[in-house]
Amino acid sequence: MNSLEVLEKSLTLPSPLIPFCPSWHGAESVSMWVKRDDMIHPVISGNKWRKLAYALRSNKIAEVISFGGGFSNHLHALGFVCYTLNIKFTAIIRGDYSAAPTPMICDLVRWNTQIDYVNRLTYQKRNDEHYLAALQIKHPHATIIPEGGSQHAALLGVQELVHEITTPFDVIMAPVASGATLAGITSALSEKQTAIGIGVLKGQGYLESLVSQFLPHQMDNWTINHNYHCGGYAKVPATLATFCEEFIQTMPFKIEPVYSGKVFWALKNMLNEGFFAPGTKIVIVHTGGLQGARKN
């Protein structure tokens, strides 16, 4: 058994699907379940394993380069995977945290990650073909994985999430940031099922383009709700912070305000507004990300 097979043996897959019965107005008229992808692994949490799995399985990788911010769930998961599999890893991080590294960056350092802090102008080139070509010349044996792990191979892993769900459902909800998770979910649905993405950053039109680039043709079984980004990525107004704190105190699992918190907050408001027809069966995907909320 090779190291990748050993790692996969440690994963909780399929991830649990649990009933969700909050005492929210409107919740009594629908049926809900939470797909607990946050339970896949203590470190490689949520949709991060889904998006990395096929890239790791299909290539003999000696070196990996990828991108993210100072609290990136993607870099955190990928850093642990590379450390575990003895793969050289370079993390290109937006902003200079050298004087005050975040908990995520401290973990990367412990996992022998090569960290390259870049300014925002350089980071904006992360999808530029000339920048990537120069990076590839500098690291000829490296596999470059896009920010958030969003690549076509990611869809295959995310599709497995949907295939694991044996309970009939009508609607599935998930956060949207880099697009591949919603695209993978959408591409695995039946004709009668729909996906609702909750935008976690300001980007009406932009987020739709990120999802569409991964879909082979125009599909009309998905939408993105842009009403709950709270002003931008990682913006946490007091109302959202309070909601997350109360949720953690009263529910059987934790959420954080950047991804899962915005999805469940959106869900609560949509139920209150009567958005869902009575009897609708809803699955909410918990994509993990709890490490990003750590203080130490």
Side-chain angles (χ1 to χ4, degrees):
M1 187 178 294
N2 62 36
S3 54
L4 178 56
E5 290 171 333
V6 172
L7 176 60
E8 293 199 72
K9 284 280 189 181
S10 71
L11 305 177
T12 300
L13 288 171
S15 62
L17 183 74
I18 66 168
F20 183 58
C21 307
S23 57
W24 298 343
H25 182 264
E28 71 283 351
S29 66
V30 300
S31 300
M32 295 183 286
W33 297 264
V34 178
K35 181 63 169 163
R36 293 289 307 277
D37 266 19
D38 59 306
M39 294 180 67
I40 289 176
H41 188 272
V43 180
I44 319 166
S45 175
N47 61 341
K48 301 312 172 188
W49 171 255
R50 304 278 189 192
K51 293 196 284 185
L52 292 172
Y54 278 82
L56 294 169
R57 292 171 186 158
S58 61
N59 300 300
K60 290 185 177 180
I61 299 175
E63 180 180 359
V64 170
I65 299 172
S66 197
F67 310 85
F71 297 85
S72 170
N73 297 312
H74 163 66
L75 290 182
H76 191 253
L78 185 53
F80 179 82
V81 168
C82 289
Y83 176 70
T84 302
L85 302 182
N86 197 29
I87 296 171
K88 182 180 179 182
F89 178 44
T90 298
I92 299 176
I93 295 178
R94 180 185 67 250
D96 187 351
Y97 292 85
S98 55
T102 66
M104 187 279 290
I105 293 173
C106 290
D107 284 344
L108 291 186
V109 171
R110 193 170 73 252
W111 297 331
N112 301 327
T113 301
Q114 173 64 46
I115 295 175
D116 185 5
Y117 295 118
V118 299
N119 59 34
R120 289 186 176 273
L121 187 61
T122 300
Y123 193 80
Q124 288 173 358
K125 300 177 183 178
R126 64 193 179 279
N127 297 317
D128 179 82
E129 60 181 86
H130 300 294
Y131 172 76
L132 293 174
L135 197 59
Q136 195 73 76
I137 291 171
K138 187 177 179 181
H139 300 268
H141 303 296
T143 296
I144 300 175
I145 295 179
E147 178 185 50
S150 290
Q151 53 192 327
H152 282 283
L155 271 65
L156 297 172
V158 176
Q159 287 167 359
E160 292 181 353
L161 178 162
V162 178
H163 298 324
E164 290 171 6
I165 302 172
T166 57
T167 300
F169 68 92
D170 306 304
V171 177
I172 185 167
M173 296 179 64
V176 185
S178 55
T181 296
L182 186 60
I185 289 172
T186 297
S187 62
L189 297 179
S190 70
E191 292 182 359
K192 296 182 179 180
Q193 295 171 323
T194 59
I196 299 176
I198 303 300
V200 302
L201 52 88
K202 285 175 95 172
Q204 190 161 359
Y206 170 68
L207 290 180
E208 280 81 358
S209 69
L210 292 181
V211 176
S212 296
Q213 70 175 325
F214 294 116
L215 297 175
H217 53 83
Q218 187 68 34
M219 303 178 75
D220 59 4
N221 61 341
W222 63 279
T223 58
I224 299 177
N225 187 320
H226 295 275
N227 296 330
Y228 299 96
H229 56 66
C230 301
Y233 182 72
K235 298 293 185 182
V236 185
T239 47
L240 175 59
T242 299
F243 169 79
C244 291
E245 290 169 5
E246 292 177 350
F247 188 104
I248 291 170
Q249 296 299 319
T250 57
M251 301 297 178
F253 55 90
K254 295 181 179 180
I255 59 174
E256 46 68 52
V258 178
Y259 295 97
S260 55
K262 290 182 179 179
V263 171
F264 283 98
W265 194 31
L267 174 64
K268 181 178 181 180
N269 283 276
M270 292 165 74
L271 289 168
N272 185 58
E273 294 165 359
F275 178 89
F276 301 101
T280 301
K281 299 177 176 64
I282 306 166
V283 171
I284 308 98
V285 181
H286 192 322
T287 56
L290 297 176
Q291 76 81 29
R294 293 179 300 164
K295 302 301 181 183
N296 50 54

